[in-house]
Amino acid sequence: MRLGERKEGPGPETGLSERNRGPSRRVCTSERAIVPEFTDAIRHSRAMVNSSHCSSTRGAGRPVARAALLAGALLLLGSAPAVAASGSTAPAPAATPAASGEPAWTENPGLILRLHHPQAPETETPAVPADDEYGEVFDSSDYQAMLLLPARSACAYVLEISSLKARAYARDLVVDAEGGLHVPAPENSTEAGTARADADGRLRLRHDGVEIFVEPAPPLIGFLTREELEARLPVYARRTIVYRPDPKMVALLRNEREKIEILAFFGSWCSDCKELLPALFATLDAAANPAFQVSCIGVDEDMKEPAELLSSYQVGATPTFLVLSDGIELGRISGEATRTVEADLVAILTQGSGGR
Amino acid sequence: MTTSTRGNSLARARLASAWLLALFAAGILVVAAFYKSGDPALFAEQITAHQVTPASWSNWLAFFFIAAEFILGAALIAFVWPRLSFALTILMMLGFIGVTAWAWHKGAIRDCGCFGRLIERGPREVIVEDAVVIAASLAGMWLTRGFQTRVWRQRLFALLLLPALALIAFGTVLPTDALIVGAGPGTKLGGLTVENVPVSIEEGRVLVALVGPDCPPCEEQLPELKRVAAERIVPTVVGVYAGKASEALVWRLRNQPNFPLGNAPERVLRQYYRRLPGAFLLEDGVVRKAWWGRLPAVEEVRRAAGGN
C-alpha cells in the first residue's frame, strides 16, 4: 500500500524517514505525540504548498505554530525522552510485509476516520467541522483488524475486530517515507482501550482525550472546494498524485486562453468518482493554467440532492463534469471518460471553440 | 350460396384475426403475470415506488394485478367473452398508462420491472407497449362484435385458470430464480455496482455473496463462505450487504467475515435476488454459477471454480 502524498520528494520526509529507521521500541502516547505532530504538520503543510491542493495552508500553519510552542514548552519541562522516543535516534527499520509476513493493508473505501480534538482551533473551511480531523481506514488482509490512520495526528491505531481492542502506534512508524504501511510488532505499541460499537453503525474509541470515530462516510452534498474535498476524503489527494495525464493533452490544455469553469458533480459514495475526479485534478494541476476553475458538487446516493443544481444542469449520473464557458455548457463528461479525462476535456474544448 | 360462403369465410377470417390479437394481448399479460408471481414482493415494492397508492396497499394490489392479468390472459387465450376481456384489458392498460405517466412526471420511477428483470424498460417504453395492447384490444373488440362464446371455450378457460392459480399460490417457491431474476449462468452482471469494496467484481474470478438484514441463514451459512475465502478457492470473495453502509458495518462487526463487505442500496440489489442469501460466481463479470436462497458450501465452490 502506497500513500501517494508521501511521494513529495526529498526534504523533511526523507529526513524523517531516516530518523525513523529507528527505535526498536517506540510507543505512542499523548506526550510523545507532540514532536511527531510538529514534524508531521511541517510535512503536511509543505506537501500542501508543493502540490497546491489539500486544505488551506493557513489551516495547516496553525498546527505547526501550536505544535512548536507545545514542543518547546514540553522540552523545557523535561519531556526530552518522549521526544527522543517518538522521533529521532533509532535502530531497526519497521518490518515490511514481505519480510515479516505482516498483513498487507487495504484501504477501506467505505469508512472514514474522524478524530474529535476537543481543543483544536477553528478552521475556516466550513465543510470541515472545527474540531475534527479526518483520516483513512485500512483493513488487514484477513479483515480481522483495521488500521486507523489519521491525516496528521501522531498516533495510528490497530483495532481488532473480534475484541474491539485498540493499540496505538507512532504514526511515523506505520507510514514510511514512501507511503508504505508497516505495522510494527505489538511491543512497539501501547494499549489504546476498547472501542464501542454503536447500534447505528459507528465505532467509537477514546484515547488520550481524543474521540476517535470509525464510521461510514456520510455523503458530501453541495458545493465544496477541492481543498475541502481532499481534507475530508484523502483518497482524492492520493489518487491525484499518482495519476499521470497524457502530456500532449496537457500541453493543449495549457494553451487554453478562455476562462473555463468545470462543475464536477460527484458522489463521495461513488467509486468511479474516486477515479475520474483525481484524474481531472491531476490533469489541471499538470496544465497549471489559471483559466480553469473547478467547483466540486457533492450529490447524495439517490441523486436527489442538491435538487436545484441537479435539475438545472440536468445531471443524472455521477461523476458528471460540466465544462462551461461564460455559463454556457460546451460539453460534459458523464459516467466515464470516452477515452481519458484529459482527452475528453480537450475534445470538448476543441468542439466548443469551433462553435463559438 | 356464393355470397354465403364468402360471408362465412370473412367471418372466420375476422374471428381468426381477433383471436390472434387476443393471443398477442394474452401473451403480454401472462408473461408479465408469470414474472410478477415469481417475486410478488418486488412487484409490491415497485407499486410503492410509483407513489400513487398508500404503501400499505401494495401487497394486496400486487396479488390483485397478478391474478387479474392471469385471468384476463386465460380468458383471451380461451377466447371466452372476448369483448368483455378486451374491454377489461383496455381498462387495465389505461390504468397502467395513467399510473406510469403520473409517476414518470413526478420522477418517482426510472424503469419498470413489469417483466421482472428480464427486460429493462423505461416508462416511455411501458406506455408505448401498453398503448399497442390497447390498440390491439380495440381492434379485437371491433372484430368480435356479435360473437357468442361456446361452452367448450368456457371449459378451456376454467382449465387454464388452474395453472394460473398454481403460479399465484406457489410462484415464489418454484425454482425459477434464474428466469425470474434474469441472472443465470452466462449473464453479465453489468448493472450491479458494489460500493465500498476495494476490488472490482467485474475482473477475474469473484465469488459475490449477497447478505442482508433479517436474514438468519446469512449468518448461519457464513462459516462455509469464510472457509472459501480462507482457502482461497476463488481469488476474491466479496460480500454485498443489502442496505446502508452503517448497517453493513454493524453486520461486519457481529459476524466478522474474512473478506471485504460492501453494500448496495436494497432497491438496487433487490434486482439480483428473490430471497437472501444468495451468491454468484463471476468470471470477468459474467455469471458462471448462481446459488439462490443460500450460500454455497466449500465443495460446491471448488467444483464450480474448478470446472474450467
Side-chain angles (χ1 to χ4, degrees), chain A residues 106-111 139 142-144 146 161-162 164 197-201 203 214 216 269-271 301-302, chain B residues 51 107 110 193-199 226 245-247 249-250 252-254 256-261 263 265 267:
Chain A
T106 309
E107 178 204 347
N108 187 317
L111 297 175
D139 286 313
D142 62 357
Y143 291 86
Q144 300 304 301
M146 288 179 186
I161 297 288
S162 57
L164 293 184
D198 295 348
D200 57 353
L203 283 168
V214 177
W269 40 269
C270 152
S271 41
E301 287 174 277
D302 296 325
Chain B
Q51 298 175 16
R110 277 185 294 188
T193 305
V194 186
E195 300 297 345
N196 303 327
V197 288
V199 292
K226 286 184 182 177
S246 55
E247 296 165 352
L249 178 58
V250 171
R252 178 185 173 188
L253 294 173
R254 189 168 64 239
Q256 298 160 31
N258 56 351
F259 48 83
L261 180 71
N263 70 294
R267 66 183 161 74

Side-chain angles (χ1 to χ4, degrees), chain A residues 19-26 90-95 173 188:
Chain A
R19 280 201 313 276
N20 286 347
R21 286 183 191 143
S24 56
R25 181 175 170 79
R26 277 183 287 158
L173 274 185
N188 293 297

Side-chain angles (χ1 to χ4, degrees), chain B residues 20-36 65-66 68-70 72-74 76-77 89 92-93 96 114-116 118-119 121 125-126 128-134 136-137:
Chain B
L20 284 176
L21 290 170
L23 285 181
F24 166 73
I28 299 272
L29 291 170
V30 169
V31 170
F34 172 76
Y35 278 99
K36 289 169 186 167
F65 282 117
I66 291 168
E69 286 178 340
F70 268 135
L72 273 180
L76 287 166
I77 291 169
T89 304
M92 184 183 272
M93 292 297 148
F96 285 166
C114 304
F115 284 102
L118 183 69
I119 305 169
R121 303 163 306 157
E125 288 83 11
V126 170
V128 169
E129 190 181 275
D130 291 349
V132 170
V133 174
I134 288 173
S137 300

Side-chain angles (χ1 to χ4, degrees), chain B residues 254-275:
Chain B
R254 189 168 64 239
N255 295 290
Q256 298 160 31
N258 56 351
F259 48 83
L261 180 71
N263 70 294
E266 192 180 359
R267 66 183 161 74
V268 175
L269 199 62
R270 189 65 180 80
Q271 305 297 316
Y272 298 93
Y273 65 84
R274 286 203 295 175
R275 57 188 160 273

Side-chain angles (χ1 to χ4, degrees), chain A residues 113-124:
Chain A
L113 177 66
R114 183 164 63 85
L115 289 87
H116 182 69
H117 299 283
Q119 287 148 7
E122 285 188 12
T123 69
E124 293 180 13

Side-chain angles (χ1 to χ4, degrees), chain A residues 15-85:
Chain A
L16 190 67
S17 138
E18 282 165 0
R19 280 201 313 276
N20 286 347
R21 286 183 191 143
S24 56
R25 181 175 170 79
R26 277 183 287 158
V27 293
C28 182
T29 67
S30 57
E31 290 175 52
R32 289 170 177 137
I34 297 303
V35 165
E37 182 183 4
F38 173 61
T39 54
D40 205 68
I42 292 172
R43 185 166 56 179
H44 184 71
S45 60
R46 186 175 291 239
M48 297 307 107
V49 172
N50 287 349
S51 60
S52 302
H53 50 70
C54 199
S55 62
S56 66
T57 49
R58 207 171 38 238
R62 276 201 205 112
V64 174
R66 181 168 57 92
L69 284 171
L70 285 168
L74 278 174
L75 281 168
L76 286 172
L77 289 170
S79 300
V83 172

